[in-house]
């Protein structure tokens, strides 16, 4: 799933979620069309896959349309060249006819023979002119036939281009519809996450059908498609000291993966990090995945490299959808090391 989707929380939704969290976290109904628990998580994953597939088809269509446009432009150049050659040949015929007329001063051929100093030379010249005229006439016909064939090919290419444009317009509409549904499902999932955090009651692990992981790789990135945002040890108004991890800008509900094999040592849903998972790896290192909208593992569970441990969100002290990823020497805040350098040492370049 390689869709890069960075949702923006609608102000009305944000206010509704906040009021529900503060006033009646256990009573307020979910937004219209909202599903509960696993259904919302699965719906987001499904729509991510649909949006990714629709985007891939649209991009393929765009590439095909561009290739078709290049073909049309090439045929246009060939057609212009053939028409120019035909015009030149017609001009040659005109010049030859004019020269033949001037050489005889408009007299009939019999009179030209009687008046010529060398009738044989005159006949030889006329034969040459006739042969040249025939050659040029044949060339004109050949060029016209070539132009006709190119014209037919261009008209077919024009029709193909228009058909591709219509197909791409339909695909673009389909993609917009899927993305609209995805955004709605994302905020449904986030609303559920916000309510659970406000109530201090972590939901259990959501069991989603996961893709097969690449068993040949010991380490991987925590998300598949992303943009890097705030980095390790950077300053920011929302942090009491320095930034303790690496942020990955991703959409709500994007699968979050264990970067390596390990064991889940904690799953929590309160505090500045919102919903978070911490995994212990061999060598005494711990990785943290924070601001999640859902978790897909339980405490004590073993995980493989690339296995989903949760879904990205914007719970806790977060200004927008992203994954906060840390590498620590202990399970606790304050023992972090630079995640970018740590992953690079293990063959993962961000």
């Amino acid at each position: 799933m390689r869709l890069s989707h960075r949702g923006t929380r609608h102000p009305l939704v944000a206010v509704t979620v906040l009021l529900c969290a503060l006033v009646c976290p256990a009573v307020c109904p979910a937004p219209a069309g909202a599903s509960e628990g696993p259904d919302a998580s699965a719906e987001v994953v499904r729509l991510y896959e649909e949006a990714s597939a629709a985007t891939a088809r649209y991009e393929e269509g765009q590439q095909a349309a561009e290739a078709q446009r290049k073909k049309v432009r090439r045929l246009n150049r060939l057609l212009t060249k053939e028409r120019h050659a035909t015009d030149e040949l017609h001009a040659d015929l005109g010049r030859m006819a004019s020269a033949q007329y001037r050489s005889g001063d408009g007299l009939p051929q019999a009179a030209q023979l009687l008046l010529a100093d060398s009738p044989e030379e005159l006949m030889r010249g006329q034969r040459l002119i006739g042969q040249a005229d025939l050659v040029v006439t044949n060339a004109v016909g050949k060029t016209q036939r070539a132009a006709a064939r190119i014209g037919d090919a261009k008209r077919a290419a024009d029709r193909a281009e228009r058909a591709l444009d219509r197909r791409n317009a339909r695909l673009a509409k389909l993609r917009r519809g899927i993305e609209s549904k995805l955004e709605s499902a994302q905020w449904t999932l986030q609303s559920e996450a916000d309510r659970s955090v406000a109530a201090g009651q972590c939901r259990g692990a959501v069991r989603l059908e996961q893709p097969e992981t690449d068993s040949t790789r010991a380490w991987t990135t925590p998300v598949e498609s992303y943009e890097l945002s705030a980095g390790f040890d950077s300053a920011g108004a929302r942090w009491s000291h320095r930034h303790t991890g690496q942020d990955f800008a991703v959409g709500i509900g994007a699968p979050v993966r264990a970067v390596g094999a390990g064991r889940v040592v904690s799953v929590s849903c309160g505090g500045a990090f919102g919903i978070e998972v911490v995994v212990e790896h061999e060598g005494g290192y711990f990785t943290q995945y924070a601001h999640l909208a859902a978790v897909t593992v339980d405490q004590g569970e073993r995980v493989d490299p690339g296995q989903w441990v949760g879904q990205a969100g914007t719970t806790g002290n977060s200004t927008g959808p992203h994954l906060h990823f840390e590498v620590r020497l202990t399970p606790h805040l304050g023992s972090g090391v630079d995640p970018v350098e740590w992953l690079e040492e293990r063959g993962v370049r961000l």
Side-chain angles (χ1 to χ4, degrees), residues 91-107 112 122 125-126 129-130 132-133:
D92 289 343
L93 280 175
R95 286 191 291 270
M96 291 169 62
S98 178
Q100 187 176 11
Y101 178 79
R102 288 196 301 273
S103 65
D105 295 325
L107 295 176
Q112 294 179 40
L122 177 63
Q126 289 183 337
I129 291 175
D133 181 79

Side-chain angles (χ1 to χ4, degrees), residues 17 20 47 64-65 71 133 216 219 224 280 305:
V17 171
C20 284
L47 288 169
K71 182 178 180 180
D133 181 79
T216 63
W219 302 95
E224 185 175 0
E280 180 181 10

Side-chain angles (χ1 to χ4, degrees), residues 239-290:
W239 311 312
S240 57
H241 298 290
R242 309 285 289 185
H243 193 230
T244 55
Q246 174 63 57
D247 287 351
F248 295 78
V250 291
I252 294 170
V256 173
R257 313 183 296 190
V259 296
R263 182 178 65 89
V264 179
V265 296
S266 71
V267 176
S268 59
C269 65
F273 288 117
I275 299 174
E276 62 171 324
V277 172
V278 177
V279 176
E280 180 181 10
H281 306 277
E282 289 186 3
Y285 288 99
F286 298 80
T287 54
Q288 179 208 31
Y289 312 81

Side-chain angles (χ1 to χ4, degrees), residues 12 28 44 101 121 154 190:
L12 181 58
C28 286
V44 170
Y101 178 79
E121 187 69 25
K154 180 186 176 301
Q190 182 61 45

Side-chain angles (χ1 to χ4, degrees), residues 4 12 22-23 31 41 66 83 87 99 143 160 162 179 184 196 214 257 279 309 331 339 345:
S4 294
L12 181 58
L22 294 176
V23 180
S41 291
E66 180 56 29
R83 286 172 175 169
D87 292 341
T143 303
R162 290 193 294 271
E179 289 179 346
S184 176
S196 69
D214 185 355
R257 313 183 296 190
V279 176
V309 297
E345 289 172 0

Side-chain angles (χ1 to χ4, degrees), residues 80-322:
T80 299
K81 182 179 178 181
E82 292 294 338
R83 286 172 175 169
H84 180 71
T86 301
D87 292 341
E88 288 293 320
L89 289 170
H90 277 302
D92 289 343
L93 280 175
R95 286 191 291 270
M96 291 169 62
S98 178
Q100 187 176 11
Y101 178 79
R102 288 196 301 273
S103 65
D105 295 325
L107 295 176
Q109 188 175 17
Q112 294 179 40
L113 288 171
L114 291 173
L115 297 174
D117 294 333
S118 174
E120 293 82 2
E121 187 69 25
L122 177 63
M123 290 298 293
R124 189 160 48 250
Q126 289 183 337
R127 280 198 301 274
L128 290 174
I129 291 175
Q131 290 172 354
D133 181 79
L134 181 61
V135 169
V136 175
T137 300
N138 289 337
V140 169
K142 182 179 179 181
T143 303
Q144 287 176 331
R145 289 190 295 275
R149 288 194 301 273
I150 294 172
D152 290 340
K154 180 186 176 301
R155 285 187 287 275
D158 284 335
R159 289 194 296 271
E161 181 183 352
R162 290 193 294 271
L164 283 170
D165 287 340
R166 289 193 295 271
R167 175 180 178 271
N168 288 341
R170 291 194 297 271
L171 286 175
K173 183 178 180 180
L174 173 65
R175 186 176 67 166
R176 289 193 298 271
I178 294 172
E179 289 179 346
S180 177
K181 292 179 182 178
L182 173 59
E183 184 175 12
S184 176
Q186 285 174 317
W187 289 113
T188 294
L189 176 61
Q190 182 61 45
S191 296
E192 294 175 1
D194 289 339
R195 287 197 296 274
S196 69
V197 170
Q201 298 175 346
C202 294
R203 291 181 294 162
V206 176
R207 299 303 179 181
L208 300 174
E209 184 178 350
Q210 302 192 26
E212 292 184 6
T213 57
D214 185 355
S215 59
T216 63
R217 297 186 61 185
W219 302 95
T220 187
T221 57
V223 285
E224 185 175 0
S225 181
Y226 57 86
E227 293 178 15
L228 294 178
S229 50
F232 178 73
D233 205 32
S234 57
R238 295 184 65 84
W239 311 312
S240 57
H241 298 290
R242 309 285 289 185
H243 193 230
T244 55
Q246 174 63 57
D247 287 351
F248 295 78
V250 291
I252 294 170
V256 173
R257 313 183 296 190
V259 296
R263 182 178 65 89
V264 179
V265 296
S266 71
V267 176
S268 59
C269 65
F273 288 117
I275 299 174
E276 62 171 324
V277 172
V278 177
V279 176
E280 180 181 10
H281 306 277
E282 289 186 3
Y285 288 99
F286 298 80
T287 54
Q288 179 208 31
Y289 312 81
H291 303 309
L292 303 177
V295 296
T296 58
V297 290
D298 287 318
Q299 186 169 322
E301 186 174 334
R302 299 291 304 181
V303 293
D304 296 319
Q307 180 179 334
W308 295 353
V309 297
Q311 292 175 279
T314 182
T315 54
N317 186 11
S318 171
T319 58
H322 72 286

